[in-house]
Amino acid sequence: MSEISLRIKEIVNFSGLSDRAFAQSINLAQTTFTNILLKGTEPKSDVLRAIIEVYKVDAKWLLTGEGDMFETGEKKLSESPAKIPLLRQTVSCGPGDEWQDSDTVEQYVEPLSALPSLRGRKVYAFRARGTSMVGAGIMDGDIVLFDGDRSQDPLDDIYVFALEQRVYCKLVKYDQLSGRVRIYSMHSGDIKEAELVREIDLNDPAQLEAFHPFGRVLAWMHENRIMYR
């Protein structure tokens, strides 16, 4: 087994993630990652670059074993950062900082040390209810993690959002020309079969006031596993 493969295995063990979750976090096929860990296959440069960027690993250490595992000034994964606020089903619809209100937060979940690829982001959580997004892999009771950065550009993606002060997780598509937002459920894995459940006209002040996108889904926790987008 190559020395680099051994060091990658050390990073995986340090992260606390399963091999599958770690591979997902760097957008690598499970079989390819298994070959690196078990067979000692030399990882390609794009794999090394992804590990360095996502986990803030020191490049010299990864390539040669010299120096410290992490970049200078980076906190080690074993340190305990702040936990993630889990929002209630009903929330006040202010900026992200207001979601930390005790009336809004149901509880706090896994520290970000268990989710190293999300470190440095403003991450919030929401517990999915129902089966409307099973086609995307999100099951009833899963804890959905989303990007709470308020400067996000609107994109067609899975979002956590509030509609009339109730929180949902669904596929959202923006029609920039008409100023409309279409909200879909995904009972099937085929996005072409997504079910339109609501259309919102952002040119209508009342509808605009009722719709509050919180952020794009980054990952979700399912049966003690981390599933990445």
Side-chain angles (χ1 to χ4, degrees):
M1 179 175 289
S2 73
E3 293 294 325
I4 292 179
S5 294
L6 289 173
R7 285 190 285 276
I8 291 174
K9 191 172 184 64
E10 187 175 345
I11 297 166
V12 175
N13 292 337
F14 211 93
S15 74
L17 296 177
S18 67
D19 294 350
R20 178 187 177 92
F22 192 95
Q24 288 177 326
S25 74
I26 57 173
N27 296 317
L28 187 64
Q30 174 67 40
T31 53
T32 302
F33 194 58
T34 299
N35 287 337
I36 292 173
L37 293 184
L38 299 183
K39 297 181 180 179
T41 302
E42 194 74 22
K44 294 183 178 179
S45 59
D46 58 336
V47 175
L48 298 176
R49 185 162 50 249
I51 292 173
I52 291 168
E53 291 178 354
V54 171
Y55 292 93
K56 307 304 180 187
V57 171
D58 184 80
K60 183 179 180 180
W61 176 86
L62 183 58
L63 295 174
T64 68
E66 298 177 5
D68 295 326
M69 180 186 295
F70 297 99
E71 295 174 359
T72 303
E74 283 293 323
K75 292 183 178 180
K76 293 186 177 181
L77 300 182
S78 59
E79 296 180 5
S80 298
K83 292 187 177 182
I84 304 170
L86 177 66
L87 305 187
R88 297 181 185 277
Q89 294 283 320
T90 303
V91 302
S92 59
C93 298
D97 290 343
E98 295 181 16
W99 302 338
Q100 303 257 21
D101 190 300
S102 59
D103 293 333
T104 298
V105 176
E106 176 181 325
Q107 65 183 75
Y108 289 85
V109 295
E110 287 289 333
L112 282 174
S113 56
L115 303 159
S117 66
L118 303 185
R119 290 183 306 152
R121 297 198 187 195
K122 189 176 290 186
V123 180
Y124 294 86
F126 169 70
R127 192 184 305 277
R129 300 294 186 189
T131 59
S132 66
M133 294 300 291
V134 295
I138 301 174
M139 308 297 180
D140 181 40
D142 286 357
I143 294 179
V144 177
L145 307 172
F146 66 92
D147 187 347
D149 189 340
R150 305 297 291 177
S151 63
Q152 297 175 64
D153 294 326
L155 299 172
D156 294 349
D157 208 339
I158 298 176
Y159 278 80
V160 171
F161 60 90
L163 184 59
E164 297 163 352
Q165 295 190 323
R166 294 288 297 175
V167 185
Y168 300 91
C169 173
K170 293 189 183 294
L171 174 64
V172 176
K173 293 189 175 184
Y174 289 87
D175 186 333
Q176 303 285 359
L177 294 178
S178 68
R180 292 179 179 273
V181 172
R182 295 179 177 87
I183 299 170
Y184 296 83
S185 293
M186 289 185 64
H187 298 285
S188 162
D190 187 347
I191 197 169
K192 295 179 181 178
E193 297 179 2
E195 175 191 358
L196 178 64
V197 295
R198 186 75 176 262
E199 183 171 313
I200 298 169
D201 184 357
L202 298 181
N203 299 305
D204 181 334
Q207 294 186 51
L208 177 62
E209 177 64 25
F211 177 67
H212 295 267
F214 289 167
R216 291 191 296 277
V217 171
L218 301 169
W220 59 94
M221 299 179 187
H222 175 72
E223 297 180 349
N224 297 319
R225 292 180 296 165
I226 308 299
M227 312 298 290
Y228 285 91
R229 292 276 296 141

